[in-house]
Each structure stands twice: as C-alpha cells, then as structure tokens.
Amino acid sequence: MTAPVLFLSTVFKPDIWLSSLKSLSPGLAIQVWPDADVTPEAVRYAVVWRPPHGVLRTFPNLACVFSLGAGVDAIVSDPDYPRHVPLSRMIDPTLTQAMTEYVVLHVLYNHRRQRDFEALQRLRKWRALNAPRAEQVRVGIMGLGVLGTDAAQKLVPLGYQLSGWSMTRKHVPGVRSFCGQPELPAFLAQTDILVCLLPLTPETQGILNRSVLSQLPKGASLINAARGAHMVPEDVLALLDEGLLSGATLDVFPEEPLPPESQFWTHPKVTLTPHAAAATDPRAISRHIVETIAAMERGGAPGNLVDLSKGY
Ligand code: NDP
Ligand code: OXD
C-alpha cells in the first residue's frame, strides 16, 4: 500500500490522531512510521511529533511537514531536516486558551501565595498571609508571540502591570514591550513574576540560568511553561534555596518524564505539572491538516509556517 500521509512520532500513539484525521477526511490514506510497507517516494505529507533525526530526509517528495505541537524545537534541531520543505506548526485557539488558563492560574497562585497557604494547611495553622494588590505586581512574559500575547491580554484586566520580552518590538495595549538582548536587563529588573513562553532555540537554551534570574528583584517567582531546556535546573534550585526566587511553577523539564529522584518533586517552593499546560486537541489539529492538504492539492500554500532561519 502507498499513502501520501505519514504519521511519525516517537511519543504519541497513532490511534487517536488517525481516527481524528479519518473522521474529517475518510478517504485520506495514512501510514504510520516505521511500518515496513511505507514507500518513501509516495509520502507527500508528514504529521510529526518528536520525529527521530534523519528520518524526514528519507522522503524525497515531501510537500509539507505538520507539527502536532506549537513548539518545533525537536523538528528543527534535526540537522538533516529537508529545509526546502515547509513546516506548519500548531496555532489553535483551544491550545492558546489552555495555555492562558495555565498562566493566569499560576500567576494568581504565586501572587496570592497559595503555595504558602497549602504549607500552612498541612500544619493545621490558621494564619492569614499578606499579598500585594494586583496593581502592585509586575508580570513579565518572555516570548510575546501567539501564546504570550494572549496570556498578557487576559492578565491586563486583572490589574497586573504587564510587560513582554521578544525579538522585535510589540504594540499590545497595556503591555510594555522590551526586545532583544540589550533590553533584557531592564525587563528583568522590573519583573516580579517571570513567565517563560519562549520557543527553544540555540539563543534561548539555558536562558533561565543564575546570571539571568539574578537580575530579577529578590523574591520574584518563575513560571516556565515553554521547554525544560530553557532552564538550568541546578541554578533554579539554588536560587530557590537562597531566596532570590520565592517560588517556581514548572510544567516542563530537561528530562521528561521527570525522574523520580529529581529534587523538583519535593522542593517546598516548587509546584509542578507533567508537561500538561496546553495539550494539542486532536480534532483541531486534524482540521488544520486536512484543510491544508486539500488546499495544497489545489495548488495553495500551507499556513502557520515556521521560519526555519529563525527556528520558530
Ligand atoms: P511564537 O513563535 O508565536 O512566539 C515566540 C515568541 O518568542 C515571539 O514573541 C518571539 O519574538 C520570541 N522570541 C523568540 N526567540 C527570542 C529571543 N532569542 N529573544 C527574545 N524573544 C524571542 O510561539 P508560541 O507563543 O506559539 O509558543 C511558545 C512556546 O511555548 C513554544 O515554542 C513551545 O515551546 C511552548 N509550548 C508549551 C506547551 C506546554 O504544554 N507546556 C504547549 C504549547 C507551546 P518575535 O515575535 O519578535 O519573533
Ligand atoms: C507544544 C507542546 O509545543 O505541547 O505544543 O509542548
């Protein structure tokens, strides 16, 4: 059998994705890597999540690669990625909404000292803790793209002082824009709650390190919902122990699943979730894939394109 669509993931089981694609386009012929009967020449579209490096280049007639997620670091880091093939990533309102819920939840959690209240609850201690008013709290979002911008826009009406750091200057009402390396120190110096929503690229890898985080005001908190490799784990743990960081909400880790021996599991100042901030909705991505394939077969171009020269 030959099929123009190939499902290729080292992490996701194909069933749910295949049934979702088939329900929208019953005639779509799909095969699953690494089935032995896949004919490389027949593959025109690849639907991927963390594909093994070197595999995509073995399909000479690829017309488009679809990422099942918003972050494409595991794809663009493949030195053999066929760079003439467009890469379309996940941009979808359901995913954006889910991430915004996560960010709003944990900004409030850190601002309102919920972690401290839970510690007191465990001790059966009835004690009110003070928290500043939202107007006094400065939230800084690293990465003012699709996800960061939406989260910022939803936090503004709650009264927080919002700022964002990006590559290029942004004009989002109520959100102060900082951009580029030269403006990073000023951005950090005025941030009480730092939210990382950057893509993982060679420039942003390890950016949540001692030297950068030490530029935050003492007692700032960190929310990382982007990628684990943004963080230098030992630096974050040390800064929590030293009190420079008062708390951290972490959704992503350099090694996932987080190993049982990791100190993050039990650190009293850490709240963690298992890379669950914003999952891709199979129906939403399937709609995007099916519609894009239909458009491309009529001669159209794919949307949600990654700029391969920038890596995001
Ligand atoms: P976008 O590409 O829309 O936004 C990225 C933002 O980061 C842009 O504002 C960009 O600036 C900025 N940026 C990139 N590189 C730099 C740099 N070197 N210095 C400063 N700013 C930089 O991405 P999304 O908002 O869609 O997604 C962000 C990330 O969130 C994903 O890459 C993924 O890793 C993560 N994610 C995590 C999920 C989870 O469940 N934990 C779910 C979904 C996504 P500019 O706009 O100027 O180019
Ligand atoms: C994504 C993710 O990038 O789920 O979409 O991490």
Side-chain angles (χ1 to χ4, degrees), residues 89 144-147 165-168 170 197 199 225 251 278 312:
R89 74 185 185 100
L144 213 50
V146 174
L147 302 181
W165 182 66
S166 44
M167 281 287 244
T168 54
K170 305 293 177 192
L197 284 175
D251 184 53
Y312 65 93

Side-chain angles (χ1 to χ4, degrees), residues 8 43 48 53 66 84 94 96 132 139-140 175 213 221 299 304-306:
L8 172 49
V43 175
V48 312
H53 286 183
F66 294 96
H84 60 282
T94 60
T96 304
V139 180
V175 183
L213 296 173
S221 40
N304 301 354
L305 283 184
V306 171

Side-chain angles (χ1 to χ4, degrees), residues 136-151:
Q136 299 169 310
V137 178
R138 299 161 299 177
V139 180
I141 302 188
M142 294 179 115
L144 213 50
V146 174
L147 302 181
T149 301
D150 191 71

